[in-house]
Amino acid sequence: MLESTTQKAKGLGLEYRYDNMIWQDTLNTHRVAKYAQEVGKGKEYPERIFMRYLLKINFFRTMSNLSL
């Protein structure tokens, strides 16, 4: 399955590096997303989660660069 996804991404000009990924448990995130839908915040929730995640990654990459 991963090979198929990697090849499809490559066809779109993307490089998926599953060997370099940090796998996460997303069960609780999905539970909160379901709740957000139930209370009418289903569209806002994913955007906020992704932004926080991307900002956190960028923060840690910046911090690791400072220690070089």
Side-chain angles (χ1 to χ4, degrees):
M1 183 173 135
L2 296 181
E3 183 63 31
S4 172
T5 305
T6 303
Q7 290 303 315
K8 287 179 184 178
K10 192 173 190 177
L12 296 170
L14 302 171
E15 181 184 7
Y16 281 12
R17 296 277 318 269
Y18 288 109
D19 61 321
N20 198 24
M21 270 182 133
I22 299 172
W23 295 92
Q24 301 290 321
D25 179 7
T26 59
L27 179 61
N28 287 334
T29 304
H30 284 92
R31 286 179 178 163
V32 174
K34 179 70 174 165
Y35 175 73
Q37 285 179 334
E38 291 172 4
V39 298
K41 299 286 185 180
K43 292 186 180 197
E44 294 92 343
Y45 174 75
E47 184 175 337
R48 292 184 77 178
I49 289 295
F50 288 129
M51 287 303 295
R52 288 182 65 104
Y53 177 74
L54 294 173
L55 291 172
K56 179 180 174 184
I57 287 175
N58 191 36
F59 173 76
F60 285 118
R61 284 188 180 152
T62 301
M63 293 302 291
S64 66
N65 289 340
L66 292 176
S67 65
L68 293 176

